Amino acid sequence: MDSFRRKTPEEILYSISKLQHGLLKICIGAVSGSGKTYHMLQEGQHLKQQGIDVVICAVSTRQRPETVEQLGNLERVPSIHWFKDGKERKDLNLEKLAERNPEVVLVDGLAHRNRDGARFPTRLDDIQFLLSQGISVITTVNVYELEGATELMRKWTGVAVEETVPTNTLEMADEIQLIDVSPETMLKRLEEGHVNGDSAPALFKRSNIGKLRELALRLVAEDVSDSLEKYRMERGLTGPYGSVERILVSAQYHWNGSIHVRRGQQIAKRLGGDLTIVTFVHPKKTLSREAAAFKRSLLKLVEKIGARFEELPLASKRKLSSMLAHFAAQHQATRIVLGHSKQSRWQELWRGSIANAILKKTKRTDIYFVADRADKEGERILPTKMMAANRGDARYRRLSDHEVERKIGEIRRGRFKVLIGAAPGVGKTYAMLREGNDLQKKGIDVVIGLLETHGRKETLAQVGSLQTIPRAKLEYHGAHLEELDVAAIVRRNPEVVLVDELAHTNVPGSKNKKRFEDIAHILNAGISVISTMNVQHLESLNDAVEQITGVRVRETVPDRVLRMADEVELIDVAPKALQQRMKEGKIYALDKVDQALCHFFRTGNLIALREMALREIADDVDERLEAWERNDSLRGPWRKQETVFVGVTLSTNAERLIRRGFRIAYRLKAEWVVCYVHDHAAVADELKKRIKVLEDLTTRLGGKFVLLSARNRRQIPYLLLNKANDIHSTQMIVGQSRRTLWERLWKRSVIRPILRYGRHMDVLVIADMEVCEQLFPSSG
């Protein structure tokens, strides 16, 4: 629902001016050759089919066959040709374009600089002029042409970028579309001569393409996050939202203040989050010489890491927890980072515990208590890069029989590529079929194993001459159903098979329960697979998706399936464009459109899911780069020898804790263990079923599940601590208590002893999801 707030005169004038202003869409890619022009021309053809007046000017196809094909019968307005350093250049012919006055102009090279004597010095200026004339523009840019990225480009590749656009150019756009391509695809295009790598060979190294790709993903994710924040502010929505972590560090002017900031920085980088530092000082007391020195040191550190900083007045320490909780709510923090208490149990009873007070007052925010390791490790606990054990020159080390067998399996195994999107209808199946046809034109044997067009004519038209393997027919409860015929595909033995909907659950009675298991069988037979899925189907994101959309996704894929893919590419579409497709009946039947637009396909949901997809693929890119032994990481280093320990109950929050534990452990390259302690003499059959569900989820995500027995409830926290110590845990994860006031009076807390006796490890207390849902309904 839109806000009922009356618009200001300035807002009204701005809205009126926008009515006569053209729209700007930017297609952004990691490097030249990623397909930006192809997609721009494809969009132009789509608009023309809708009866919209579209022309092209200063478009460079570089004679790439697929791109030239997309030109079709689009009208071309002649550009102004000139030469610089022996190379032909193209400027927009503004007079001709203004005279022609089309509805939309397609133009390449947003960062282009015009010839001397031109009306405007840059193409960006030309485009702004066209927009002011009511002409919409679709254009292209590479991520390294944004001013903020040029220095990274030079550092990584040694290539200096001469033509750039201001960093805030993306903010000017009404729509941004990321054209995502894996390094493997780019290198293949380079090998086939469709990309010219002679001018900057260092640019087309696999690791450099990967770095620029990750940068593009994260920049677009930031833009999407900003648009989601603006959307929610306009509607008066508050509280945590989207997929980005907002880390708030409470640091004092003390020797451990920098430790807390460093740990907050590490968390923010590894989880791709924002970082804010807050400190509280007495307004009428002058800082001691020591505290002033720590303040100067802390401010230098905050400036160095690029965090936000605020110093707030605090008259009484008893108000610290209330002020911190209020500040966290104001800044929509998802996690508060602070130090463990150093008070004894009696001191906490007499003076009050800040930690306990924070837990009471922040039911919707995770609380992260940083370990006090000074006694064991000294005061330096800064994160260090994990190093592989030195076993000499790996080339000369003899492989074991098991390693030889595994290597042979990898050699024989087919390649696996996954096309992933933020929601249904973004064009994953269309892109899969297009790639299948491209491969077939190159003489590769490609077949369709399973295709779900959902009645979309554009998708069905992409089938072309691709052969389809008939589906296997199965009977279930008197109904005749169809599934992927794995045996028929293996018998046909193509080079590549296209299989839609990776997360699909097979009909009971099938050989495999899930389609990704069918695909694993096909890959092991030496057949390559291209498949599709939506980001909400990833197992570890299940809770986050439900919080955003209010929908619990039942069909999921373990995260390891995405990790085992040789290539992962994002199919990116802006929410408004996706909603337009919905209205045109290209996603669901027209009789279901209104319902979908009011529920799952609400603007807020689509923006949040898109941000989640961008960040997830950015993290996947970073993981792959680190696997290639890259020396530096956009997300920063991880601390050596992390071990994550997750303590769960049998509540409905347990699955969420397990998934959070997995995601944190995966980001930190850590081993992780899930532990449940039951305090009954015997475990009832119903409880055994519940325990089995949690154990299966843990195993599916790659963790280890431990079951312990306690004589009574009071023993539970101490058993958890002992087990965490046994496995040398560096971080314990537990959920916020759901106990009622009556239960708090009669039953001892589990969290308090953990915080008191577990000060040598980090402790993360996860917010109660049910409380979050009551306070913050999914964005509309």
Side-chain angles (χ1 to χ4, degrees):
M1 176 183 287
D2 289 336
S3 172
F4 287 97
R5 180 182 62 84
R6 181 182 287 114
K7 290 183 177 180
T8 64
E10 292 79 8
E11 289 174 328
I12 292 172
L13 287 172
Y14 176 75
S15 298
I16 292 172
S17 68
K18 289 289 286 183
L19 292 176
Q20 297 177 322
H21 198 268
L23 297 176
L24 174 61
K25 176 174 178 177
I26 298 175
C27 296
I28 185 171
V31 293
S32 177
S34 57
K36 304 179 297 297
T37 304
Y38 177 97
H39 283 84
M40 178 182 70
L41 292 171
Q42 189 179 60
E43 176 86 357
Q45 292 288 0
H46 175 69
L47 293 173
K48 185 175 180 179
Q49 289 169 10
Q50 294 178 319
I52 295 172
D53 185 15
V54 182
V55 301
I56 64 173
C57 187
V59 169
S60 301
T61 64
R62 302 185 190 276
Q63 297 305 308
R64 294 166 188 154
E66 296 87 353
T67 308
V68 172
E69 186 180 336
Q70 287 299 314
L71 284 172
N73 58 352
L74 289 173
E75 180 185 344
R76 184 190 296 270
V77 173
S79 55
I80 299 172
H81 294 243
W82 58 287
F83 287 86
K84 180 181 179 181
D85 299 329
K87 294 182 179 179
E88 186 180 33
R89 313 271 291 172
K90 298 178 182 178
D91 286 358
L92 289 178
N93 194 329
L94 293 181
E95 288 71 23
K96 291 283 186 183
L97 286 169
E99 181 183 340
R100 173 63 177 74
N101 193 29
E103 291 178 278
V104 181
V105 173
L106 312 182
V107 55
D108 258 330
L110 180 60
H112 172 85
R113 291 192 179 279
N114 294 331
R115 69 199 184 282
D116 292 338
R119 184 172 181 179
F120 299 109
T122 70
R123 181 153 295 165
L124 179 59
D125 295 322
D126 290 344
I127 288 174
Q128 288 176 317
F129 169 76
L130 293 173
L131 295 173
S132 69
Q133 301 300 303
I135 300 173
S136 295
V137 177
I138 304 177
T139 187
T140 64
V141 71
N142 292 311
V143 68
Y144 54 77
E145 293 170 328
L146 299 173
E147 283 181 355
T150 53
E151 182 56 31
L152 286 173
M153 172 72 166
R154 188 196 60 77
K155 176 185 174 183
W156 291 336
T157 69
V159 177
V161 182
E162 295 181 0
E163 297 185 328
T164 62
V165 291
T167 307
N168 65 351
T169 301
L170 295 184
E171 298 172 15
M172 296 166 45
D174 298 280
E175 183 179 331
I176 299 168
Q177 183 179 7
L178 174 68
I179 311 302
D180 184 41
V181 177
S182 69
E184 290 79 10
T185 298
M186 283 302 306
L187 293 174
K188 191 67 177 174
R189 292 178 183 176
L190 183 67
E191 181 186 326
E192 293 169 350
H194 297 317
V195 177
N196 180 16
D198 296 338
S199 57
L203 176 62
F204 288 93
K205 289 182 179 178
R206 183 170 71 162
S207 61
N208 288 340
I209 296 171
K211 293 174 191 177
L212 291 167
R213 181 191 180 198
E214 182 183 354
L215 183 61
L217 285 158
R218 295 200 186 282
L219 277 175
V220 177
E222 287 299 322
D223 181 82
V224 173
S225 181
D226 291 343
S227 67
L228 179 58
E229 183 174 359
K230 180 181 177 182
Y231 176 87
R232 289 175 60 85
M233 287 178 62
E234 288 173 351
R235 284 151 183 78
L237 300 172
T238 60
Y241 60 90
S243 61
V244 64
E245 289 267 8
R246 293 171 183 83
I247 313 299
L248 173 63
V249 178
S250 175
Q252 300 305 306
Y253 299 142
H254 188 259
W255 69 265
N256 61 8
S258 62
I259 291 175
H260 299 163
V261 171
R262 283 289 193 185
R263 191 56 167 158
Q265 179 204 18
Q266 184 192 32
I267 293 167
K269 277 204 166 187
R270 296 306 295 177
L271 303 182
D274 298 329
L275 182 62
T276 299
I277 315 298
V278 64
T279 189
F280 299 92
V281 296
H282 197 288
K284 295 182 180 180
K285 289 184 179 179
T286 305
L287 291 177
S288 66
R289 183 178 297 178
E290 185 182 44
F294 281 127
K295 177 178 179 177
R296 290 192 296 272
S297 176
L298 190 68
L299 290 176
K300 284 182 182 178
L301 176 59
V302 169
E303 183 180 2
K304 180 180 178 182
I305 65 178
R308 288 177 291 182
F309 178 81
E310 286 199 42
E311 182 181 86
L312 300 178
L314 178 69
S316 168
K317 280 191 175 181
R318 290 188 177 273
K319 294 183 179 180
L320 177 59
S321 57
S322 298
M323 289 189 67
L324 184 57
H326 179 69
F327 187 86
Q330 271 189 323
H331 291 75
Q332 298 166 331
T334 59
R335 184 177 302 197
I336 298 173
V337 177
L338 68 163
H340 274 291
S341 170
K342 291 191 175 183
Q343 298 182 132
S344 68
R345 183 177 178 182
W346 299 111
Q347 287 174 322
E348 286 180 355
L349 289 172
W350 179 252
R351 300 175 184 174
S353 167
I354 292 174
N356 294 333
I358 286 289
L359 288 172
K360 285 180 183 178
K361 290 170 179 163
T362 53
K363 291 294 183 184
R364 55 204 180 200
T365 306
D366 298 344
I367 313 296
Y368 192 101
F369 296 94
V370 179
D372 181 5
R373 295 185 178 85
D375 292 340
K376 292 186 177 182
E377 303 174 13
E379 294 182 4
R380 184 185 181 279
I381 62 164
L382 302 186
T384 57
K385 181 122 180 178
M386 185 183 295
M387 301 298 291
N390 183 12
R391 298 188 60 190
D393 194 330
R395 296 174 301 168
Y396 293 97
R397 186 174 59 83
R398 182 179 289 113
L399 298 175
S400 67
D401 292 343
H402 175 72
E403 287 173 323
V404 170
E405 187 177 339
R406 180 174 57 82
K407 290 282 187 183
I408 292 173
E410 290 175 358
I411 292 168
R412 293 182 58 188
R413 181 178 174 270
R415 287 188 63 81
F416 184 29
K417 181 171 183 175
V418 177
L419 303 174
I420 191 168
V426 298
K428 303 177 300 295
T429 303
Y430 183 101
M432 178 182 73
L433 291 170
R434 176 195 150 201
E435 184 156 357
N437 277 293
D438 288 344
L439 292 171
Q440 188 182 59
K441 290 175 183 176
K442 296 170 185 174
I444 296 173
D445 184 15
V446 183
V447 301
I448 297 172
L450 191 137
L451 179 64
E452 297 289 358
T453 65
H454 300 287
R456 297 165 194 159
K457 295 178 182 178
E458 295 86 350
T459 304
L460 190 59
Q462 285 296 308
V463 171
S465 59
L466 293 172
Q467 178 191 350
T468 300
I469 303 294
R471 303 186 189 190
K473 292 178 170 50
L474 302 170
E475 187 174 332
Y476 180 67
H477 289 178
H480 294 281
L481 303 172
E482 296 181 340
E483 290 289 0
L484 179 71
D485 196 333
V486 176
I489 290 169
V490 173
R491 284 196 303 271
R492 170 63 174 74
N493 194 30
E495 291 176 273
V496 181
V497 62
L498 312 181
V499 181
D500 234 343
E501 298 186 357
L502 180 63
H504 172 79
T505 302
N506 291 335
V507 175
S510 301
K511 182 178 180 181
N512 295 313
K513 183 178 178 181
K514 301 286 290 187
R515 183 163 292 163
F516 67 78
E517 295 172 322
D518 292 338
I519 287 175
H521 184 88
I522 294 169
L523 291 169
N524 289 334
I527 301 169
S528 296
V529 177
I530 303 176
S531 190
T532 65
M533 66 174 288
N534 293 320
V535 71
Q536 66 261 29
H537 292 296
L538 276 178
E539 177 68 61
S540 68
L541 294 176
N542 197 258
D543 305 296
V545 171
E546 183 179 21
Q547 187 179 13
I548 290 169
T549 66
V551 176
R552 170 66 72 175
V553 177
R554 299 299 174 187
E555 292 190 318
T556 60
V557 172
D559 291 53
R560 60 179 168 79
V561 175
L562 196 63
R563 313 306 172 207
M564 80 181 196
D566 300 285
E567 294 181 60
V568 179
E569 286 183 1
L570 176 68
I571 308 300
D572 183 45
V573 172
K576 288 183 179 179
L578 191 58
Q579 288 174 328
Q580 184 59 37
R581 292 183 187 180
M582 174 69 75
K583 292 172 184 177
E584 294 169 0
K586 294 180 178 179
I587 300 177
Y588 295 148
L590 288 173
D591 59 343
K592 297 181 180 178
V593 167
D594 289 340
Q595 182 184 2
L597 290 173
C598 292
H599 291 86
F600 190 87
F601 280 80
R602 288 183 294 185
T603 301
N605 289 353
L606 294 180
I607 298 173
L609 287 171
R610 185 186 183 202
E611 180 190 357
M612 180 182 289
L614 286 159
R615 293 187 185 280
E616 190 65 25
I617 302 306
D619 286 346
D620 180 77
V621 171
D622 203 275
E623 296 296 335
R624 292 172 191 272
L625 286 167
E626 288 175 348
W628 298 339
E629 299 182 358
R630 192 181 69 173
N631 293 324
D632 55 336
S633 167
L634 267 67
R635 293 184 296 152
W638 60 90
R639 197 169 60 202
K640 190 177 181 180
Q641 296 176 340
E642 288 270 11
T643 304
V644 175
F645 182 86
V646 186
V648 298
T649 65
L650 299 184
S651 71
T652 54
N653 207 30
E655 284 91 345
R656 180 168 177 260
L657 284 178
I658 292 170
R659 293 186 183 105
R660 287 292 297 277
F662 160 75
R663 290 186 68 78
I664 290 168
Y666 181 74
R667 296 294 180 257
L668 297 176
K669 303 291 189 300
E671 294 181 359
W672 64 293
V673 173
V674 176
C675 183
Y676 167 66
V677 182
H678 69 87
D679 57 348
H680 303 285
V683 182
D685 290 342
E686 199 63 33
L687 292 182
K688 286 181 180 177
K689 291 179 182 177
R690 177 67 180 144
I691 293 169
K692 186 68 168 63
V693 168
L694 301 183
E695 183 177 3
D696 288 347
L697 175 60
T698 303
T699 305
R700 201 158 62 241
L701 289 171
K704 181 182 178 182
F705 188 84
V706 175
L707 178 64
L708 299 177
S709 178
R711 291 191 300 273
N712 52 59
R713 178 181 172 82
R714 292 185 178 185
Q715 202 182 11
I716 291 176
Y718 305 102
L719 285 173
L720 289 172
L721 283 165
N722 288 339
K723 188 63 184 178
N725 289 331
D726 287 345
I727 66 170
H728 305 292
S729 170
T730 55
Q731 183 176 154
M732 180 183 283
I733 300 174
V734 291
Q736 280 191 357
S737 173
R738 291 183 173 182
R739 295 181 304 153
T740 62
L741 176 61
W742 180 258
E743 288 174 322
R744 288 201 298 270
L745 291 173
W746 287 99
K747 295 181 180 180
R748 288 192 177 184
S749 167
V750 171
I751 292 179
R752 287 189 182 186
I754 288 173
L755 292 178
R756 186 175 302 119
Y757 300 111
R759 292 170 181 171
H760 57 286
M761 69 179 80
D762 296 345
V763 177
L764 174 60
V765 184
I766 302 291
D768 186 346
M769 174 65 84
E770 289 188 2
V771 172
C772 290
E773 288 174 350
Q774 292 164 11
L775 292 168
F776 307 115
S778 58
S779 59

